[in-house]
Amino acid sequence: MIKIEMGQLQPNTPFMSVFSKVSRYDKFGTKTLYRLTKLARKLNKEMRTIADLRMKLVNEYAQKDESGKFIPMMNEKGEPIPNTFTIPDALQEEWGKKMEEFQKTEIEIDLDPIPLNLVKDEGFNISTQEALILEPILSMEE
């Protein structure tokens, strides 16, 4: 069983960056490739669910204009920053707590972790730092 925090399964996180690197490696054998593909599909499904849940939180806390659109954050010049939203000052602390809880929520994926030695034996050069980042999906046992 793989256990991973929801915060790790969001775009531009170290986990997703390293997993993407592993996923692009084209010299894995069939067994490893199958396991990685199966895992990628399950992760993608979880990521869609996480994005939907995050959007519900944003809808609950973000300021909206009269037409119901999010009010974006402004840069130092007073220009709107694309793809952002504003949380009212009165809700900042509550928003922060909700997001922290959201990020740290652990989910379970019904797959066995992939043995690190299997990945390394097939020629993928993974650094210690990368292995630590991928620790939720890797088994360190021989």
Side-chain angles (χ1 to χ4, degrees):
M1 181 75 59
I2 292 173
K3 294 181 181 185
I4 189 166
E5 290 181 356
M6 289 187 353
Q8 292 176 284
L9 296 181
Q10 295 185 50
N12 304 317
T13 60
F15 177 87
M16 292 310 300
S17 177
V18 176
F19 185 74
S20 177
K21 177 182 171 185
V22 172
S23 298
R24 288 190 308 269
Y25 184 70
D26 62 359
K27 293 179 177 57
F28 285 125
T30 303
K31 183 178 180 181
T32 305
L33 191 58
Y34 176 77
R35 290 179 80 172
L36 284 168
T37 301
K38 196 170 178 181
L39 177 58
R41 286 189 178 137
K42 289 196 180 233
L43 290 177
N44 283 332
K45 181 180 177 191
E46 292 295 338
M47 288 173 65
R48 285 190 298 275
T49 302
I50 290 166
D52 290 345
L53 291 173
R54 184 179 183 280
M55 202 63 216
K56 284 182 183 180
L57 280 175
V58 170
N59 273 314
E60 183 179 337
Y61 286 90
Q63 283 183 313
K64 297 176 186 127
D65 62 20
E66 303 82 36
S67 64
K69 293 182 181 178
F70 296 128
I71 297 174
M73 295 170 53
M74 300 292 178
N75 66 17
E76 57 278 346
K77 295 179 185 176
E79 301 163 332
I81 302 171
N83 303 316
T84 63
F85 53 88
T86 303
I87 303 295
D89 290 340
L91 297 176
Q92 284 287 335
E93 187 175 336
E94 186 178 335
W95 165 256
K97 288 178 183 176
K98 286 276 189 183
M99 284 308 297
E100 184 176 348
E101 177 187 340
F102 178 84
Q103 301 277 13
K104 291 184 177 188
T105 299
E106 192 173 78
I107 60 171
E108 293 181 351
I109 298 173
D110 192 23
L111 288 175
D112 291 328
I114 298 167
L116 176 60
N117 66 329
L118 185 64
V119 172
K120 291 180 98 172
D121 289 350
E122 294 190 23
F124 184 77
N125 188 16
I126 188 167
S127 70
T128 302
Q129 182 179 2
E130 290 170 329
L132 288 171
I133 289 169
L134 293 180
E135 189 172 17
I137 65 164
L138 294 177
S139 167
M140 303 302 173
E141 299 171 4
E142 291 293 321

